[in-house]
Amino acid sequence: MQQNEVDAVRSVLTRDLSTPPQIPASAMVQATTLMAGGRLHRYGELPEGEHSSVAQLEMAFAALLGATYAIGVNSCGCALFLSLVAAGVKPGDPVLMNAFTLAPVPGAVAHAGARPILVDITEDYVIDLDDLAAKAQASGARHLLLSHMRGHIGDMDQLAAFCTARGIALIEDCAHTLGADWNGTPTGRFGVAGCFSFQSYKHVNGGEGGMIVTDDEDLAARAILLSGSYMLYRQNGARPADEVFERWRYTSPNMSMRLSNLVAALVLPQLPLLPERAAIWNGLHDRLAGRLRRLNGLRLPLRSPAEHYVQSSIQFEAPGLDPERMAAFASSCAARGVFLKWFGADEPRGFTSQSQHWRYIENVEAPPRARRILRHLFDMRLPLTLTLAECDTVADIIGECLADLPAA
Ligand SMILES: *Cc1c(COP(=O)(O)O)cnc(C)c1O
């Protein structure tokens, strides 16, 4: 082909990458029935033996994760906050967290009045156990808030063993790992609590909402009371026995972070769809990852065979590019319909975030490896409606935009 013919067939992606998972018809029916009855608030006078939509979701969620208790709340950020407080974090306490995470995570630590201690990540985007050991030692922290950021799961056997040996309570942020596991154990089940999100861009779409899972009866009772159960906690779907609440009911403030029945009605029928959605997302991710790995100048993280991810987005680095060319690369991809989020932008934009933008933290400077990786990191959402052929188009566009960059 002549150069002008190549130009003439330059492909453009027409798929809207920002499309969230659709609400299934069965969920719309449940939501409509609920609205007709008006009982959108999870607590109230219920006929004997009847369970609210939130209580039903709590039972289903506990069963799905193999957890004893599940507590519906109004967001994953609040699930993280409530888990920290219910696990005993006090104002001023240091809380360890991996530096590759989203703004609601240091936000949850700040909400608890605690101090985030940023831990470095490995070349493969998961928490660095050596830096974790060093920061745990130096800070004396008793809590680790671990994000499986963008679906990347580290070696959870090693991490859980480390936390047990050091007496560190592990709280997992599973906003991007509902349906994922490490070596057969679902994420959210390795520490004292796991937190999940029902925000539209996670794996089940309720608009807003979150869930805490735990086997710890005191943590569960405290989280339920703090979440704003009034003295109606007996209506919770997966809760500890009454006597556990007796220990906490006079000392736990009501913080009004409840989940709405309407959200639960939308989410519950989506739980059985998780395996199907995971297969679609991983098919798209693996197709695109396979193509991107072949491009010169890009790096993708290595994944362990023990990690069973649900990859609803894809991340890659362009390690050789300077900031000017990274910005040019992102804008030429965008001009062809491929909207990449660049974590390294000077100003925080959209959903991307890096610690330098969280200036309320004492030591906002990210540790060195996280800094370098985030500076070169690109992120793209994989909507369920994307096709494998469109993944190839995306890879072509990315490859061509890279090749077209001026030399350094
Ligand atoms: C989305 C997200 C959260 C927060 O979830 P919300 O339900 O929006 O509060 C926390 N951590 C990570 C890694 C996320 O992606």
Side-chain angles (χ1 to χ4, degrees), residues 42-75:
R42 69 166 298 173
Y43 296 113
E45 289 78 40
L46 279 178
E48 190 61 29
E50 213 168 276
H51 300 288
S52 71
S53 300
V54 176
Q56 291 174 45
L57 179 64
E58 288 167 339
M59 289 183 253
F61 214 85
L64 179 69
L65 272 297
T68 316
Y69 311 114
I71 303 117
V73 294
N74 60 342
S75 71

Side-chain angles (χ1 to χ4, degrees), residues 349-371:
R349 232 177 258 142
F351 289 111
T352 62
S353 52
Q354 48 168 313
S355 71
Q356 289 93 307
H357 302 150
W358 309 325
R359 294 183 194 156
Y360 55 88
I361 302 181
E362 252 168 64
N363 294 302
V364 293
E365 197 82 333
R369 203 179 297 111
R371 255 197 100 142

Side-chain angles (χ1 to χ4, degrees), residues 74-80 100-106 146-151 173-176 195-202 207-211 351:
N74 60 342
S75 71
C76 179
C78 285
L80 298 171
F100 179 37
T101 189
L102 207 70
V105 180
L146 178 78
S147 281
H148 302 295
M149 176 63 170
R150 290 293 196 266
D173 168 14
C174 307
H176 280 131
C195 300
F196 296 83
S197 177
F198 305 141
Q199 195 249 62
S200 291
Y201 294 109
K202 313 301 163 101
E208 294 282 2
M211 189 68 74
F351 289 111

Side-chain angles (χ1 to χ4, degrees), residues 100 123-125 148-153 176 285 288-289 292-293 298-303 307 309-318 340-341 343 352 373-374 376-382 398:
F100 179 37
E123 296 293 345
D124 301 314
Y125 310 169
H148 302 295
M149 176 63 170
R150 290 293 196 266
H152 298 269
I153 306 166
H176 280 131
H285 171 269
L288 187 52
L292 295 182
R293 279 183 203 284
L298 294 190
R299 184 185 179 277
L300 279 79
L302 300 176
R303 313 296 291 250
E307 180 193 14
Y309 52 73
V310 177
Q311 216 47 72
S312 54
S313 62
I314 189 165
Q315 293 71 40
F316 60 87
E317 289 155 80
L340 301 175
K341 277 155 255 163
F343 275 81
T352 62
I373 291 171
L374 289 177
H376 296 100
L377 191 68
F378 292 93
D379 174 51
M380 192 189 106
R381 208 174 264 151
L382 299 167
I398 287 175

Side-chain angles (χ1 to χ4, degrees), residues 46-172:
L46 279 178
E48 190 61 29
E50 213 168 276
H51 300 288
S52 71
S53 300
V54 176
Q56 291 174 45
L57 179 64
E58 288 167 339
M59 289 183 253
F61 214 85
L64 179 69
L65 272 297
T68 316
Y69 311 114
I71 303 117
V73 294
N74 60 342
S75 71
C76 179
C78 285
L80 298 171
F81 160 73
L82 291 168
S83 297
L84 289 168
V85 175
V89 170
K90 300 270 182 307
D93 283 357
V95 174
L96 300 155
M97 51 173 276
N98 41 326
F100 179 37
T101 189
L102 207 70
V105 180
V109 177
H111 194 174
R115 288 184 293 123
I117 308 283
L118 300 174
V119 178
D120 213 349
I121 59 171
T122 69
E123 296 293 345
D124 301 314
Y125 310 169
V126 298
I127 197 162
D128 180 319
L129 294 176
D130 294 328
D131 196 46
L132 175 63
K135 299 268 166 71
Q137 180 76 29
S139 66
R142 314 298 298 167
H143 296 86
L144 166 61
L145 183 50
L146 178 78
S147 281
H148 302 295
M149 176 63 170
R150 290 293 196 266
H152 298 269
I153 306 166
D155 185 330
M156 292 307 293
D157 297 320
Q158 276 193 35
L159 182 78
F162 171 86
C163 290
T164 306
R166 300 292 182 95
I168 291 174
L170 167 65
I171 294 164
E172 288 174 81

Side-chain angles (χ1 to χ4, degrees), residues 21 175-178 201-205 270 274 277 281 310 312:
H176 280 131
T177 54
L178 178 57
Y201 294 109
K202 313 301 163 101
H203 297 172
V204 289
N205 179 5
Q270 292 181 58
L274 278 168
R277 286 184 182 175
W281 270 318
V310 177
S312 54

